[in-house]
Amino acid sequence: MELRKVGLKVTHPRLQILRLLEQTDRKHLTADEIYRLLNEQGDEIGLATVYRVLSQFEQACLVRKHMFDPGSGRALQACYELHDGEHHDHMVCVETGDVVEFVDPEIEERLHQIAKRHGFQIAEHSLVIYVKPRDRRAEG
Ligand SMILES: [Zn+2]
């Protein structure tokens, strides 16, 4: 992905944050995590800059921001991921914070039907399932 293509000038922090998002094996990262990973690899980019760049990326549709709400009074967790243009939904573990992506054609079709039944068509949707680890003892 190129910064200039989306109308952003190439700066060191922008380039480093974009590279990190492209290369990380964890697709969904908080600003804090991005900040820590950059500093671990020797890039001294301030947290305020990380937030600023992420919001510029969001406006340029380079990244998507998700506000995952684990509930139970826990803080909302803003996560960022590269905008790959493909639709997917999320599962968030309320205990570990792990994020899993999924696409289910049957759910997509159902959502389409529900919107249609109410006289609409889907412009955009975002489905988040909050999960917890399976209690194996409870299984027969
Ligand atoms: Zn995702």
Side-chain angles (χ1 to χ4, degrees):
M1 234 174 284
E2 280 179 49
L3 290 167
R4 283 198 193 85
K5 258 190 206 160
V6 296
L8 290 172
K9 257 197 288 179
V10 177
T11 64
H12 178 75
R14 284 176 183 164
L15 208 54
Q16 292 311 99
I17 292 173
L18 184 60
R19 285 219 183 109
L20 180 83
L21 289 170
E22 281 172 341
Q23 289 163 7
T24 180
D25 42 359
R26 287 190 49 211
K27 265 192 79 184
H28 309 82
L29 293 168
T30 66
D32 256 330
E33 289 168 333
I34 292 169
Y35 166 76
R36 257 190 296 114
L37 288 169
L38 287 171
N39 281 270
E40 273 167 24
Q41 65 185 37
D43 273 304
E44 290 180 16
I45 295 170
L47 185 57
T49 304
V50 171
Y51 273 108
R52 194 173 57 244
V53 168
L54 286 171
S55 105
Q56 291 161 349
F57 281 4
E58 192 192 351
Q59 275 167 31
C61 289
L62 219 51
V63 302
R64 295 186 67 175
K65 179 184 182 179
H66 303 289
M67 297 297 291
F68 294 135
D69 181 2
S72 319
R74 267 169 290 203
L76 274 179
Q77 193 189 2
C79 278
Y80 299 85
E81 69 173 313
L82 272 186
H83 204 320
D84 56 10
E86 298 281 311
H87 172 78
H88 59 261
D89 291 309
H90 296 95
M91 223 177 279
V92 179
C93 179
V94 296
E95 287 182 16
T96 63
D98 286 351
V99 180
V100 176
E101 297 185 342
F102 69 93
V103 178
D104 185 312
E106 283 179 39
I107 291 177
E108 299 297 317
E109 177 57 22
R110 290 288 294 158
L111 294 175
H112 168 75
Q113 294 299 335
I114 293 166
K116 194 173 160 192
R117 198 188 309 145
H118 291 270
F120 294 106
Q121 64 182 48
I122 293 178
E124 171 69 65
H125 82 267
S126 164
L127 176 65
V128 184
I129 309 177
Y130 295 98
V131 295
K132 56 186 180 182
R134 259 166 84 164
D135 183 355
R136 298 192 184 281
R137 283 166 306 177
E139 283 166 29

